[in-house]
Amino acid sequence: MKKTKLRERIISTAGKLFYSQGYNSTGINEIIAKTGIAKATLYSHFKSKEEICIAHLTQRHEGFLTSLKSYVSRRKNGKNQLLAIFDLLQDMYREEGFYGCWDLKTLGELSPKQKKIIPVIQKHKKELLLYLGEVVGENIVNISKAEIEKISGGIYLLYESAVTESYLFKNDWPIYMAKNMAPSLFVNSEVK
């Protein structure tokens, strides 16, 4: 098997385990067994479980941002694009095996000694926030940088809480509530 395909299989297998049963509950031996490889093979691709987790989180984040950008671009300008993140979340919630945010799920399990993963999660969240700022800037007329930050920050916080609460309650009402609250953030703005 090609080295990149094997690397992707390790990330995929470990990622499913991390997401469904937790980072701390998943051991290297379980990843090796589920992937069907030798320990030496795993360590030729990754130095540690932490490194595998970083690869998994990065892959999930990049896939999510690609999906979100595509989702937004397929919507009409204005309110539809500003609220597209909640529609995507609704679709994600309906998929089998929804366990909330993969970054925050991992963050909740980290000890203070695990310092390599936290900056990766922070980077992902900042990238999402910056992208939401782009969407706000493209869909609201004559808006200041401060207003972009206020609106995109509000959408970001509503989204993040909707992800967590929909998983916690095993229900999608938090997604609907967040989507219905979001327009109040730009009620005094001229939306395209």
Side-chain angles (χ1 to χ4, degrees), residues 17 24 119 136 155 168 188 190:
L17 293 168
N24 289 333
V136 170
I155 292 171
L168 174 66
N188 295 325
E190 185 183 343

Side-chain angles (χ1 to χ4, degrees), residues 11 14 18 20 33 36 42 48-49 57-58 60 62 76 79 88 94 102-103 115 120 139 145 147 161 171 173 184 187:
I11 294 169
F18 294 152
S20 64
L42 181 122
S48 65
K49 182 172 96 167
L57 294 176
T58 300
R60 289 291 302 252
E62 289 170 357
K76 288 178 16 180
K79 186 177 175 182
L88 176 59
R94 290 180 181 141
W102 46 90
D103 277 331
K115 296 182 190 248
V120 172
N139 285 284
K145 185 176 179 184
E147 280 298 305
S161 65
N171 199 300
W173 66 261
S184 67
V187 72

